[in-house]
Amino acid sequence: MPLFRVTVKNSKNCNGGRVERGMSVDVVTNSMSNPVSTNGGQLVADAFMRIYGIDIKRVGALSMAYLDVERIG
């Protein structure tokens, strides 16, 4: 199962939430596909909620414009 590191590229403040540049989460998936574009990015959103308590969907930063995805395992 591949391991991806998803890192915030640009800070964003919207809808009462804020993500800072450099925040990152590790996501394990069953597929080789980008976890941001797979299944609506739900695994990434769950990881940000679990680690930082931030609803990244509500902030509007769950897209490749704000996130950098790197396969690390």
Side-chain angles (χ1 to χ4, degrees):
M1 293 195 321
L3 177 65
F4 291 92
R5 177 161 291 144
V6 181
T7 306
V8 177
K9 291 192 275 189
N10 301 313
S11 299
K12 184 171 183 177
N13 187 15
C14 184
N15 292 329
R18 181 169 178 84
V19 291
E20 291 287 337
R21 181 179 180 180
M23 287 177 145
S24 66
V25 295
D26 293 341
V27 178
V28 177
T29 67
N30 290 329
S31 69
M32 301 297 279
S33 302
N34 181 342
V36 174
S37 59
T38 303
N39 196 21
Q42 191 59 48
L43 290 174
V44 176
D46 292 344
F48 270 92
M49 182 60 78
R50 183 176 60 250
I51 303 294
Y52 297 107
I54 296 170
D55 186 353
I56 197 166
K57 283 185 179 180
R58 185 172 178 204
V59 175
L62 187 60
S63 73
M64 291 305 294
Y66 290 96
L67 301 174
D68 182 39
V69 178
E70 173 187 8
R71 184 168 180 221
I72 58 174

